[in-house]
Amino acid sequence: MKQVWPGVYRHTDSAHVYVVGGPEGSVLVNIGDGSVLDALPEGLPPVMAVLLTHHHRDTAAGAARAVQLGIPVYAPEGERASLEHPEPYLRQADQPNNYEARPRTWTVPAAVNTRPLREYHTHRFGALAFTVRPTPGPTPAAVSLLLDLPGARLAFTGDLLYAPGQVSRLAATQWTYHGAEGVPGTVLSLLDLADQHPDLVLPAHGEPMPSSALGDTAKALMGLLHLRRHNTRLLELREKPYVELRPWLLWNRTSVAHSYVLRSRSGHALLIDYGYDFCFGQPSATDAESRRPWLYTLPTLMARHGVRQIDAVIPTHFHDDHVAGIPLLREAYGAEVWVPENVSDVLAHPERYRLPCLWFEPVPADRRLPLGQPLHWEEFVITPHELTGHTRYACALLVEADGERALFGGDQYADGDGLGMPYTYPNLFREGDYVRSAELYRQLQPDLILGGHTGPVEPTAEHFDRLLARGQELQRLHQALQPHTTRLIIHAEPITVECGQPVTLTIENPTDSEFSGEVRVSGEAGPAGRHPVQVPTHAVRTLTFQPCGPAGSRIHFELRGPPGEPGQHTHATIRPNKTGDTHDR
């Protein structure tokens, strides 16, 4: 075992393992094949924790042994699933017609119970304080760890780089079948890490390096990035991520979806939406490793645009590309989360809903905003309005500032002309939603319309006319193209319950005709039955049930209308109760 810095030792097996000694105990950065546990220097304090930079087998395979010895293992949040449940990832490598480009054969062979390494958080183990920096590249969810010791800041970088101008494995940077997402990810990570000014870079493979190796390697990778024609504007966007649309309004052009900044004269800021900041490319999967937020451009916002403090963020709706970064924003910058009242429950309790694009963790509101009521913040007036269409739980934010009215509509409208209607049926779309939103836009008369995936639109009277005409045509086509029963909407909440807890079945009739039919209930979680139901025009009816059965059993709902018409279906599932899987019939 070699000392690489006073109190820091390196053991080498399948990867370098760094042993950091502290007065209360030692910490291992990565663990390789686990042989380090038999080779610890004599007199070193006992190991308190293992910190993993990423999940690859050569750095993490020995973690299972550490857990068996009672040593807690910490891993990046997005890497924990493949460490705790490696078998599905290993099987994926053997699937036919497999388009997953990430090297699943590098997954650890044995499951490991882990604790989370929260990004941007400083984790303390006695006197040792490790700060977690997101550094995607070798994997989408990889991290580097910064440790300040007397006289030096050390950066434990995992497989982010191997040597000045080299990475450990280029194959690991391919996250999609035709992509090279990890290359721009590595470049951005290297440059961000260089901005943290480490004195010594300690990789999982390769020799210790000065901090200049970070910039050298980023520069070397740009040739491959341009040859691959992947994200060739990367450095330009990193230099200038924000576009000033007005003196008081900035647009983050690197994010997916668009994020906007209201900048007050006092230097305080309020963000509208904050999903995936500086999105350089993502894997095609939608698990936590593949959908990872970070706070990449915020230092630039504060350093170059006169922002002293981020007071709050308001999401237009609940989709992950609009909210994924909000929990980190709250933790790292102290920003409050202000949520329109019609969006607050789905953000705070995503587990209750069967909807697309739900974020993995709850985002509770610090402040709920009543619809239609103006909010005064700094020199701005902000009024949320219900805006259904693209999704049910969404709002438009009317912002009045400097004599202008700007309307932030999230994903309600799309395309370059701002007239596209990206309705999505699983988002509980109703056939008249786009008529209502067109009428709202005409009523509010904004000078500027800002969307989640489109450029700014300065609407004319003709624009509002076309919105309404297109919404009416969309409604007409839905009336003409399907029978009455399938124009209704049914949904059950919560989608999972403990045995005996209530489930509410909601039946919505957005049509001009009364509905008469029945709800048929079946499934192991029953009780089975037939329930007549009538729903007047443009009305809602609810039925409440208390299903009970073993964990995993379901109560199924079928809405039937006139004989021969197709019905509607949904269900709820029984989850284990807090005392185990027991139930009473």
Side-chain angles (χ1 to χ4, degrees):
M1 189 169 290
K2 179 180 179 181
Q3 183 170 266
V4 295
W5 191 263
V8 180
Y9 302 87
R10 188 183 76 186
H11 170 84
T12 301
D13 44 57
S14 55
H16 295 321
V17 179
Y18 295 95
V19 183
V20 184
E24 299 89 350
S26 302
V27 172
L28 306 185
V29 178
N30 292 321
I31 195 169
D33 62 14
S35 60
V36 65
L37 297 171
D38 302 317
L40 294 171
E42 203 171 315
L44 198 72
V47 176
M48 295 185 291
V50 175
L51 312 183
L52 301 178
T53 58
H54 59 297
H55 73 270
H56 285 168
R57 178 182 300 210
D58 53 355
T59 58
R65 183 182 172 200
V67 171
Q68 291 171 356
L69 294 174
I71 302 170
V73 174
Y74 291 77
E77 289 183 295
E79 307 267 312
R80 295 179 68 199
S82 61
L83 289 162
E84 297 187 351
H85 308 284
E87 189 58 32
Y89 296 85
L90 292 167
R91 284 200 304 266
Q92 188 179 45
D94 301 330
Q95 289 178 353
N97 199 30
N98 184 7
Y99 281 79
E100 174 57 69
R102 286 172 289 177
R104 295 309 194 193
T105 54
W106 301 353
T107 303
V108 295
V112 183
N113 290 324
T114 65
R115 302 180 184 184
L117 282 176
R118 185 69 166 172
E119 291 160 0
Y120 301 101
H121 184 73
T122 297
H123 294 259
R124 300 184 183 278
F125 304 91
L128 302 174
F130 293 84
T131 299
V132 182
R133 299 294 299 190
T135 49
T139 69
V143 302
S144 293
L145 301 167
L146 297 175
L147 174 65
D148 288 320
L149 294 177
R153 168 172 283 188
L154 308 184
F156 300 92
T157 56
D159 277 338
L160 186 63
L161 73 165
Y162 172 77
Q166 286 188 312
V167 296
S168 294
R169 302 179 179 98
L170 283 173
T173 65
Q174 186 168 17
W175 301 346
T176 62
Y177 189 68
H178 286 297
E181 296 79 10
V183 175
T186 299
V187 170
L188 291 175
S189 298
L190 289 164
L191 295 176
D192 177 70
L193 209 53
D195 288 344
Q196 311 311 311
H197 307 293
D199 298 290
L200 188 64
V201 175
L202 299 173
H205 298 90
E207 294 303 310
M209 293 167 267
S211 62
S212 59
L214 300 168
D216 292 343
T217 307
K219 184 177 180 180
L221 284 170
M222 290 302 296
L224 180 60
L225 187 146
H226 282 281
L227 191 65
R228 187 67 188 249
R229 297 179 176 178
H230 186 108
N231 217 326
T232 56
R233 297 172 60 223
L234 188 76
L235 297 183
E236 173 196 337
L237 291 170
R238 185 179 189 272
E239 179 68 20
K240 295 181 179 179
Y242 292 90
V243 175
E244 186 177 282
L245 300 176
R246 299 289 189 273
W248 51 270
L249 176 60
L250 303 174
W251 163 38
N252 182 353
R253 59 180 179 156
T254 73
S255 61
V256 175
H258 296 331
S259 179
Y260 298 95
V261 181
L262 304 183
R263 180 179 56 182
S264 75
R265 290 187 288 268
S266 68
H268 288 238
L270 184 148
L271 274 55
I272 295 176
D273 289 330
Y274 193 72
Y276 301 112
D277 193 6
F278 212 129
C279 188
F280 53 86
Q282 295 175 319
S284 53
T286 58
D287 57 4
E289 180 190 3
S290 306
R291 293 292 181 262
R292 182 197 197 181
W294 58 352
L295 309 174
Y296 198 89
T297 68
L298 295 187
T300 300
L301 173 67
M302 304 188 84
R304 299 185 187 176
H305 294 280
V307 171
R308 295 189 296 107
Q309 179 177 317
I310 301 172
D311 286 357
V313 56
I314 305 177
T316 58
H317 60 291
F318 66 89
H319 285 170
D320 64 307
D321 55 337
H322 293 255
V323 305
I326 289 179
L328 288 176
L329 178 67
R330 171 157 48 191
E331 293 169 17
Y333 285 84
E336 290 190 349
V337 182
W338 299 352
V339 184
E341 60 183 349
N342 64 320
V343 184
S344 62
D345 191 71
V346 68
L347 274 179
H349 303 285
E351 74 284 353
R352 295 178 180 174
Y353 294 84
R354 184 177 294 114
L355 293 166
C357 313
L358 290 166
W359 185 234
F360 299 103
E361 60 184 297
V363 185
D366 296 303
R367 180 176 183 179
R368 294 176 75 247
L369 306 181
L371 296 174
Q373 294 189 20
L375 160 72
H376 294 264
W377 172 80
E378 298 285 317
E379 64 267 29
F380 299 86
V381 179
I382 306 168
T383 308
H385 297 270
E386 186 176 34
L387 187 67
T388 59
H390 173 66
T391 185
R392 176 66 58 84
Y393 307 106
C395 75
L397 296 171
L398 180 67
V399 175
E400 299 172 80
D402 203 20
E404 285 192 285
R405 296 163 64 87
L407 188 63
F408 297 83
D411 290 348
Q412 183 70 0
Y413 290 102
D415 302 335
D417 57 4
L419 296 172
M421 296 177 291
Y423 58 90
T424 306
Y425 298 110
N427 278 325
L428 306 181
F429 165 70
R430 296 169 299 195
E431 59 190 38
D433 281 341
Y434 277 92
V435 173
R436 285 185 288 274
S437 66
E439 291 170 343
L440 176 67
Y441 277 46
R442 171 176 278 172
Q443 172 194 335
L444 297 178
Q445 288 289 308
D447 304 297
L448 186 65
I449 297 174
L450 298 138
H453 299 274
T454 60
V457 173
E458 296 185 0
T460 62
E462 181 188 4
H463 183 84
F464 297 125
D465 290 342
R466 294 182 69 189
L467 286 180
L468 182 58
R470 288 173 59 80
Q472 291 170 337
E473 179 64 5
L474 182 66
Q475 183 177 36
R476 186 194 69 79
L477 288 169
H478 275 80
Q479 293 168 346
L481 291 174
Q482 58 185 344
H484 187 226
T485 304
T486 53
R487 292 164 60 194
L488 274 64
I489 300 150
I490 69 168
H491 48 100
E493 286 95 19
I495 60 171
T496 63
V497 292
E498 292 181 12
C499 181
Q501 291 183 332
V503 171
T504 299
L505 179 69
T506 301
I507 306 164
E508 304 180 37
N509 181 6
T511 75
D512 294 328
S513 302
E514 183 180 37
F515 174 81
S516 181
E518 67 177 10
V519 171
R520 296 196 178 190
V521 181
S522 61
E524 189 178 0
R530 298 168 64 166
H531 304 267
V533 63
Q534 288 188 316
V535 189
T537 63
H538 303 286
V540 176
R541 288 288 180 265
T542 59
L543 299 173
T544 300
F545 300 86
Q546 290 182 294
C548 194
S553 64
R554 294 186 174 89
I555 180 171
H556 293 275
F557 304 106
E558 179 186 5
L559 179 67
R560 289 194 183 185
E565 284 195 8
Q568 301 267 26
H569 303 266
T570 192
H571 68 266
T573 304
I574 301 296
R575 66 172 182 264
N577 62 32
K578 295 177 182 177
T579 59
D581 183 16
T582 59
H583 65 280
D584 296 320
R585 286 290 187 181

